[in-house]
Amino acid sequence: MDSQAPFLVLGGEQDDEDIKVMLNGSFLWKIKSRRRKKERFYRLQEDGLTILSERCFKRAPPEGQIVVFSIMHIEAMREGYQSEGLRKHGRYFPETQCLTIVFKGRRKNLDLAAQSEEEAKRWARGLKKLMAKVEAMICPPLFFPYISGIWIHDILHRADKNKDNKMSFKEIKDMLKMINIDMNDIYAYQLFQECDKSSNDRLEEHEIEEFCTLLMKRPELEELFHRYSGQDCVLSAKELGAFLQDQGEVADLAHAHRIIQTYELSEKAKQHDRMMLDGFMMYLLSAAGDILNQEHTNVYQDMSQPLCHYFISTSHNTYLTDNQIGGASSTEAYIRAFMEGCRCVELDCWEGSNGEPIIYHGHTLTSKILFRDVIEIIRDYAFKHSSYPVILSLENHCGLEQQVTMVRHMKAILGDMLLTQTLDGQVPKELPSPEVTPPGNSRGRGRGPWQHSHGLLQGGFSERGPRAPSSMVSSHGHPWALSDPIAVCAPRQAKDAAQLCPQLSDLVVYCQAVPFQSLAQALGSQQAGQMCSFSESKARKLLKESGNGLVRYNAQHLSRIYPLGLKMNSSNYNPQEMWNAGCQLVALNFQTPGWEMDLNHGRFLVNGRCGYVLKPSFLRSRQASFDPESGRGGVGPMWARGVITAQQLPKLNDKKSSIVDPFVRVEIHGVRADCTSKQTEYKLNNGFNPRWDETLSFQLRVPELALVRFVVEDYDATSCNDFVGQFTLPFISLREGYRHIHLLSRDGASLAPATLFVHIKAKKM
């Protein structure tokens, strides 16, 4: 409300010279193409977490011409020509005046050019400082009240139409609709009158603050707090220990004391080793109260087993940002995949002009990028998020000359990151582990990619025809070799593309592509360094005919599953089916959001998001008896239930009259016997604080493979329900007790402060 509202990012940054420049605002050029360069006015808001962008008008900007984005949604800040957009279109501005804001999720980069080098540096430094502050505040619970405070402050500012720093009841009603709640007029007016201490039908600053405090109350958390605190409404360390014991956590007094000292806001309460309601709420909203087991957010699994014992995060058509018919190809897509923990990326390589191979989806209208540029991006970004092996899946459509160019670029750009010989100089008897260090390389030196390529077959062959050798690139600084068995016809413009040059073939170190004949033949004679790939339909057929045979194959060898090539919209298949059989490289279109990618994010959310997840023991044994169709041979069973409320769900559009009617669906994805979903009733016109108090129960036969997906949708009686938010995680990483779930958008970005609050009980039967 108040234009002089306190700067909510802690630490006095408002006195920083860089932050002052951002608070005053700057005219920056927004660069989208060679012809589309438009001047915008960008200004950091007083909350210290949101940036406003306005078009430059001589008069006041029309409705809808103001754009706001949050520091919380920024993934990275790059200076200079460090984006594909600026490398292509930013040359009209000096590199020192250019910067790129990279957003989380699938929102496009924001490429900017400042009026001067000094101004660009001010914004770059300021953004980095604010991002660092946000990052530092996300771990401590102190961050969460500020999310709500900043969020409500912005809503109040927008609802105060005449900017008099006072709110009429009509303005309060408008505000309520902005925050996704259609509150009963009588109840809303009672709340309004309760806060109108001056009795002038206007809420002033402190009265508005009180109104918001009442509005933000969490009755379900108050009830839980009073259940343990007793009549004095204060939690002692002993009472907190009782709560922790019911949560299934360490419940000794020392641990309770540490929690109080970490999360309690009142210094006086801390001194007496007591926790007040606000501190209790802070604790439950923090990472300590998250549904995801925080021990699993680090690399906690055994990483010394053979590669075939891990699920490996794998991207299909990685270069695409949209559909495979007319979508754009971009090096940015590789960066985003790597930052999501992807460890296997695909490069479709075709003949380009001037002797330079290009990457795009052949024989379509997708745009083209240089092979060389992609290899440079791999060098620069493959190991920024995860230090474990990267696999480059090269689908070669090039003639001999440009194949040699591909090899030259990989060796020159990747250098000793590229593995060109076996780790011990011997013929491999089994695949190495993700953390084996190549000769001459040390763990602390960083890792490199593993590469996976395939050559075109003479004249073109069907999926079942012979395969050419191919390569796959490894890690710890070096690539190994894999194969892509997709058989394709030689391009007409490249008569010699049917051959694979020795230099490219020599990059195959560990995995040679071999034609798949039968599981019996593969299990009997396939060598450790050989592998097969399967289309999604072929994999499903094998699952149906011999699921256990496929499990035993995957216990010894790598297999890659890829989507059918006829999908115009680049849709995905269900990856869970393939994981159930132990398939490692389950390739998905990362650029296509949907429940399939939600499952992929959930599968690789754990183990430090390093892109490698150890398969359950019953999928790693060569004598495995597990049947992925029935689930027989698993460890289970388990039983689970949950009670659900929600807080501050996002609106689906900007219309004031648009209020969601939310319901929650809990889905179990696992073996066929475990796949099910149950949902709550919908709550009419309340996306702010709906409360269901419903119990949803599930029985799981194979919990080690199961993923749990919490989905919020907007009920619609006449058409399809609209997606609101979701969160997916492995069942074995789900924590019992009272937990918050921080919802994600369709493209995986945070929907803070939107949460679900659940009570989870799970036990073996």
Side-chain angles (χ1 to χ4, degrees), residues 493-602:
Q493 73 275 19
K495 294 181 180 179
D496 60 349
Q499 303 176 43
L500 188 66
C501 77
Q503 295 95 322
L504 188 56
S505 180
D506 287 346
L507 289 182
V508 181
V509 176
Y510 275 102
C511 303
Q512 291 185 345
V514 294
F516 179 79
Q517 298 177 5
S518 69
L519 283 172
Q521 181 275 333
L523 288 168
S525 61
Q526 188 168 314
Q527 298 176 14
Q530 297 176 330
M531 65 159 290
C532 296
S533 294
F534 310 94
S535 69
E536 56 176 292
S537 57
K538 178 66 174 178
R540 287 196 190 97
K541 184 179 179 182
L542 285 173
L543 270 167
K544 187 175 182 179
E545 294 175 349
S546 181
N548 177 251
L550 187 56
V551 167
R552 287 185 287 117
Y553 173 84
N554 287 320
Q556 307 172 50
H557 304 282
L558 286 172
S559 65
R560 179 177 182 267
I561 315 299
Y562 56 89
L564 292 173
L566 300 178
K567 297 180 176 181
M568 299 291 193
N569 60 354
S570 296
S571 60
N572 283 309
Y573 55 90
N574 181 1
Q576 185 66 48
E577 294 178 284
M578 313 307 169
W579 292 326
N580 290 344
C583 300
Q584 303 89 355
L585 299 162
V586 180
L588 296 179
N589 292 296
F590 275 40
Q591 77 277 15
T592 307
W595 64 270
E596 301 92 344
M597 274 306 298
D598 293 343
L599 297 187
N600 197 73
H601 288 308

Side-chain angles (χ1 to χ4, degrees), residues 227-290:
R227 189 184 309 167
Y228 288 89
S229 65
Q231 294 182 347
D232 61 356
C233 298
V234 175
L235 277 177
S236 65
K238 183 178 180 180
E239 290 167 333
L240 178 58
F243 171 74
L244 294 173
Q245 185 173 19
D246 290 346
Q247 291 279 93
E249 297 184 23
V250 176
D252 59 71
L253 291 179
H255 184 53
H257 172 76
R258 286 193 295 270
I259 290 176
I260 291 172
Q261 295 304 311
T262 302
Y263 298 99
E264 176 54 45
L265 299 176
S266 167
E267 290 298 327
K268 186 175 181 180
K270 282 184 182 182
Q271 292 173 7
H272 291 84
D273 214 17
R274 297 291 188 270
M275 177 172 271
M276 313 293 285
L277 174 61
D278 286 346
F280 184 68
M281 292 174 65
M282 299 279 263
Y283 166 68
L284 287 176
L285 277 165
S286 75
D290 196 274

